[in-house]
Amino acid sequence: MEQYSSSSSSSFSSPSYDPTTSTDTNPPPDADTDTTTSSSSSSSSSSSAVNRALRLVQSDDVESKLEGAREIRRLTKTSQRCRRLLSDSVLPLVSMLRVHDSPESNESALLALLNLAVKDETNKIKIVEAGALEPIIGFLKSQNSNLQEYATASLLTLSASPINKPVISAYGAIPLLVEILRYGSSQAKVEALKALSNLSTYTDNVSIILATKPIPPIVDLLKTCKKSSKTAEKCCALIESLMEFDEGRTALTSEEGGVLAVVEVLENGSVHSREYAVGALLTMCESDRCKYREPILKEGVIPGLLELTVQGTPKSQTKAQTLLRLLRDSPYPRSELQPDTVENIVCNIISQIDGDEQSGKAKKMLAEMVQVSMEQSLRHLQQRALVCTPSDLSINSCASEVSLK
């Protein structure tokens, strides 16, 4: 969990989080983890600093409040103990969020609250109960990029708590987070995506997210990020949730390069990313095989799916096998299939990998699958090239669109 260490820069490290649990699980890279010294003098010094910070932030003097907020931020940067001892600072810090025309006060309070919330479920809930959401969500509309980014990061951290997820949604944060996903700074877009991914684990929030038409900005971010990155993982996790709805499936296939971006993650993503990606494609195909089979097949998905049946997690293997079966089935009689068609090869694969020797046989057929997919992908690129001028689409950029194992 990285903490914020610069109150003025808009380039900051975001807190890591677990979208499925109420606690943040990754330790800060700049901390050894919380260490409690056995030295009584050190403990006394820490307690003295905590008491001083509380006195400062609870004072009526503006400058003292600012100094207190900065000190709280410093003390809670790496110390879970200090986060607990400083929980009484939540109310005065929230009051600083409500100070109008004082970005310095707002930013200092936001960053202190953010550090207080990291890895502390009690503080996450206490901050929301203290009324912080109204001003924080208001900052999402701010023209001040620092305030907007810090507010987005704060919602990311607060949304890691299951108790806070429906409350954050009820305050109207989701449409504003999607707007940041569309138009915010690069940093704010990533934080907004992760916050939306957190919020999507509360089932009732998924339809609210879908209503904001988030697929285009999610796909844009997925196209540009590294496919093995955490950002790609959260993109695919969110896409998989949205594929449960017809509007989401239609939006993904309507978005230029949308399905291809998911296929690329299926091929080159992290373990969890590939699981989300194959899950999204499987949900599409299961909902309407006739409608989505061809859009998935034409992006050269077969090699990645076959590899997942061999090297993926148990969940990925099961999903990949199920999707291969759905892609295998053809509306045409078996005799009409040519020997080198994807359908025919998938039929052969499925008939041969259902037994105990699944892994070995799948590996033997991988080379054949790659060759067929390469030919299919090249045909697809040729079709794309017909609508592009030479200056718009170079050979290199075309080649970069195809990721084959």
Side-chain angles (χ1 to χ4, degrees):
M1 178 76 58
E2 298 178 4
Q3 311 307 323
Y4 294 80
S5 59
S6 172
S7 61
S8 59
S9 172
S10 62
S11 176
F12 55 86
S13 299
S14 64
S16 59
Y17 64 98
D18 182 343
T20 61
T21 67
S22 62
T23 57
D24 308 280
T25 57
N26 297 328
D30 57 349
D32 297 326
T33 68
D34 298 335
T35 57
T36 304
T37 178
S38 59
S39 168
S40 60
S41 60
S42 177
S43 177
S44 174
S45 175
S46 175
S47 297
S48 175
V50 165
N51 291 332
R52 178 176 180 274
L54 283 173
R55 285 197 304 272
L56 287 169
V57 80
Q58 291 169 348
S59 73
D60 295 328
D61 180 69
V62 174
E63 290 302 319
S64 294
K65 282 182 174 291
L66 281 171
E67 184 181 353
R70 294 181 185 124
E71 188 65 9
I72 290 167
R73 180 187 174 196
R74 183 186 68 80
L75 291 168
T76 55
K77 181 178 180 181
T78 60
S79 174
Q80 184 65 36
R81 178 173 177 271
C82 284
R83 291 176 198 133
R84 172 61 50 239
L85 293 174
L86 285 163
S87 62
D88 287 343
S89 67
V90 167
L91 278 173
L93 287 170
V94 170
S95 72
M96 292 175 67
L97 297 180
R98 300 181 182 280
V99 177
H100 297 294
D101 301 320
S102 180
E104 186 178 17
S105 177
N106 300 152
E107 289 179 23
S108 296
L110 264 177
L111 293 171
L113 287 168
L114 183 52
N115 278 7
L116 280 166
V118 166
K119 292 190 179 182
D120 194 307
E121 174 74 1
T122 300
N123 280 350
K124 285 181 175 70
I125 297 169
K126 188 170 185 176
I127 290 168
V128 169
E129 291 178 343
L133 285 181
E134 184 179 355
I136 288 175
I137 291 172
F139 295 146
L140 295 180
K141 297 179 283 188
S142 175
Q143 297 301 308
N144 182 317
S145 61
N146 282 1
L147 276 177
Q148 189 180 86
E149 289 178 1
Y150 299 160
T152 306
S154 297
L155 288 177
L156 163 59
T157 300
L158 294 173
S159 65
S161 166
I163 292 176
N164 288 343
K165 295 176 194 288
V167 184
I168 292 171
S169 173
Y171 269 81
I174 286 175
L176 294 172
L177 287 170
V178 175
E179 282 299 292
I180 289 176
L181 189 56
R182 288 193 180 94
Y183 305 116
S185 66
S186 297
Q187 182 68 44
K189 285 181 179 180
V190 172
E191 304 298 340
L193 169 76
K194 292 178 180 179
L196 288 166
S197 181
N198 268 5
L199 292 169
S200 72
T201 63
Y202 181 73
T203 305
D204 291 350
N205 284 343
V206 180
S207 58
I208 300 173
I209 295 171
L210 186 65
T212 65
K213 303 187 184 303
I215 292 291
I218 295 173
V219 169
D220 285 343
L221 192 56
L222 186 56
K223 286 179 180 178
T224 57
C225 72
K226 187 176 180 180
K227 299 304 179 284
S228 59
S229 66
K230 199 73 171 178
T231 298
E233 180 180 318
K234 297 308 173 186
C235 283
C236 286
L238 193 49
I239 288 173
E240 183 182 18
S241 297
L242 297 173
M243 291 306 99
E244 296 289 342
F245 298 81
D246 184 61
E247 300 97 310
R249 297 188 290 268
T250 300
L252 185 65
T253 52
S254 300
E255 188 68 18
E256 177 65 28
V259 175
L260 177 60
V262 176
V263 170
E264 288 177 340
V265 175
L266 184 147
E267 293 176 333
N268 299 312
S270 67
V271 171
H272 293 302
S273 295
R274 300 180 80 186
E275 204 168 274
Y276 294 134
V278 70
L281 298 176
L282 177 58
T283 299
M284 293 173 66
C285 215
E286 286 181 328
S287 70
D288 191 334
R289 184 186 63 80
C290 292
K291 183 176 182 179
Y292 296 112
R293 177 173 169 272
E294 180 58 30
I296 293 172
L297 272 176
K298 77 175 185 179
E299 300 298 358
V301 71
I302 297 299
L305 286 177
L306 187 59
E307 184 180 337
L308 277 182
T309 68
V310 180
Q311 299 177 356
T313 64
K315 185 181 290 187
S316 294
Q317 289 178 349
T318 300
K319 290 182 177 181
Q321 291 169 21
T322 304
L323 183 52
L324 279 169
R325 290 188 179 92
L326 291 171
L327 296 176
R328 169 200 62 184
D329 295 337
S330 172
Y332 305 106
R334 188 72 172 80
S335 59
E336 294 183 17
L337 295 173
Q338 297 299 316
D340 61 347
T341 61
V342 170
E343 290 90 338
N344 195 5
I345 292 174
V346 172
C347 282
N348 291 335
I349 290 173
I350 297 303
S351 67
Q352 294 184 46
I353 70 174
D354 283 347
D356 294 335
E357 297 179 4
Q358 168 183 312
S359 294
K361 291 180 178 179
K363 287 179 179 177
K364 288 175 63 176
M365 299 192 72
L366 181 57
E368 182 181 6
M369 294 307 307
V370 170
Q371 179 62 36
V372 172
S373 182
M374 184 179 295
E375 292 171 359
Q376 184 183 35
S377 296
L378 287 174
R379 289 195 297 271
H380 186 45
L381 286 174
Q382 289 171 350
Q383 293 173 354
R384 289 187 181 185
L386 293 176
V387 297
C388 298
T389 64
S391 61
D392 292 333
L393 188 62
S394 66
I395 293 176
N396 288 337
S397 64
C398 283
S400 68
E401 291 183 319
V402 184
S403 179
L404 294 173
K405 297 294 179 186

